[in-house]
Structure formats: structure tokens, C-alpha cells
């Protein structure tokens, strides 16, 4: 059974606040292989519902998510044109990225994505065991407003030990105003 190990909320924030008005959600499912599921939904207004599933490789899972944002959220025409040349229809239900887009073209696309002004904010929440934890450094190469949330405290039931286990420490953040 596949489990979700990360999620991205993608949207805009108010210029005086750091919150988020999400328009899209990306969910990373990992089991035998990673799978990104992109849905367009905004809890504050109506949107055209959209869903696509992209299956990346292990080495560039995180950059595939940013490519999906460039295609489906920002709708960058140059990137969409290049991807259309390899996929045809961008509204496919499922894309096996490494089978349908060559490594050379993917590298070209990632380079173009790094040059984009994303004009969106991303909140990335990652569970401890997600393999994208090893890829986070690549985010420094993108012009992206970003919050990354990783566990500082986890409490879970261990089926092997048949008991609850906790890791980390909860720290109180004092009001800084």
C-alpha cells in the first residue's frame, strides 16, 4: 500500500502576511516508486478541478514537482511547449517522466525552471522517511517563496513493538512581536 510522504500547498500570499491562499496541492506517494499527484482546488473559491499524476525517478523527484508547478500552475509557455513536444497532450491523467522525457530534455527543463520567477508560494511538508529529504538542497537554486516543514516531533504507534513511540522535542515558539 502506498503512503503519502510529502505534500506541497501551492498558491499566493498577501504581501503583508506569510500565510497562503492555496490553489493547487501536490501529494507525494512513495512505495515501490514515487508518484506526484497534482490537484487544483482552492478552499476559498471555486476552481476548475484538475488532477494529473506524474511518476518521477528517484534522483529528481523534487525537481519533477517544480516542473509540474511550472506547467500546470504558472503555465509557462516555453516550458509547456517543450513538454508538449514529448508528451503531446499536457492533460494526460498519468505521465511516466523518465520513460516519456529523456534525461537531456529533463535537465534542460529543470534549468529553465530554475530561471523562472515562480510568483507562487510553496509550503512543503515532509515526513521523516521521505526520500526527497535528500534532495532539499536543490531548492536553493529556484526563485521560489518557500516554507519547508519537517518533523521536529513525531509520535506514532510501532507495530513491531506494539506501543506508542515518540521522537524529537516540542519547543514553544514565543511571540516575537
Amino acid at each position: 500500500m502506498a503512503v503519502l510522504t510529502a505534500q506541497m500547498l501551492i498558491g499566493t500570499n498577501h504581501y503583508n502576511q506569510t500565510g497562503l491562499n492555496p490553489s493547487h496541492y501536490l501529494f507525494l506517494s512513495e512505495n515501490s516508486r514515487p508518484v506526484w499527484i497534482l490537484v487544483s482546488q482552492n478552499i476559498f473559491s471555486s476552481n476548475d478541478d484538475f488532477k494529473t499524476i506524474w511518476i518521477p525517478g528517484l534522483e529528481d523527484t523534487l525537481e519533477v514537482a517544480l516542473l509540474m508547478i511550472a506547467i500546470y500552475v504558472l503555465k509557462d509557455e516555453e516550458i509547456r511547449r517543450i513538454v508538449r513536444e514529448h508528451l503531446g497532450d499536457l492533460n494526460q491523467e498519468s505521465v511516466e517522466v523518465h520513460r516519456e522525457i529523456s534525461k537531456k530534455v529533463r535537465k534542460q527543463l529543470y534549468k529553465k525552471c530554475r530561471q523562472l520567477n515562480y510568483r507562487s508560494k510553496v509550503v512543503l511538508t515532509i515526513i521523516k522517511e521521505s526520500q526527497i529529504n535528500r534532495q532539499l538542497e536543490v531548492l536553493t537554486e529556484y526563485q521560489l517563496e518557500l516554507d519547508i516543514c519537517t518533523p521536529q516531533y513525531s509520535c506514532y504507534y510501532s507495530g513491531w513493538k506494539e506501543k506508542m513511540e515518540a521522537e524529537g522535542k516540542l519547543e514553544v515558539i514565543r511571540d516575537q512581536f
Side-chain angles (χ1 to χ4, degrees), residues 30-89:
E30 295 182 77
N31 195 16
S32 60
R33 63 183 178 175
V35 174
W36 282 111
I37 304 157
L38 175 70
V39 294
S40 65
Q41 294 181 330
N42 186 324
I43 60 174
F44 298 116
S45 65
S46 62
N47 246 5
D48 293 331
D49 289 345
F50 172 79
K51 177 181 175 184
T52 189
I53 297 168
W54 280 39
I55 303 161
L58 292 174
E59 70 277 359
D60 60 351
T61 303
L62 191 51
E63 288 199 279
V64 167
L66 297 170
L67 175 59
M68 292 174 75
I69 293 169
I71 294 167
Y72 298 108
V73 179
L74 301 178
K75 299 184 187 227
D76 182 84
E77 279 307 316
E78 183 179 5
I79 290 173
R80 289 170 66 91
R81 179 189 54 76
I82 294 168
V83 173
R84 243 188 252 107
E85 290 173 6
H86 298 274
L87 299 182
D89 182 14

Side-chain angles (χ1 to χ4, degrees), residues 96-132:
E96 288 194 48
V97 178
H98 285 199
R99 189 173 62 77
E100 299 182 50
I101 304 173
S102 72
K103 185 174 186 172
K104 179 181 177 184
V105 173
R106 287 193 320 271
K107 285 184 177 237
Q108 174 191 6
L109 288 165
Y110 301 152
K111 183 177 179 180
K112 290 189 178 302
C113 286
R114 289 183 188 121
Q115 296 167 351
L116 289 177
N117 175 351
Y118 274 74
R119 301 178 319 277
S120 290
K121 179 174 182 173
V122 170
V123 177
L124 172 58
T125 304
I126 310 167
I127 294 173
K128 169 175 87 166
E129 286 86 13
S130 178
Q131 56 96 11
I132 65 168

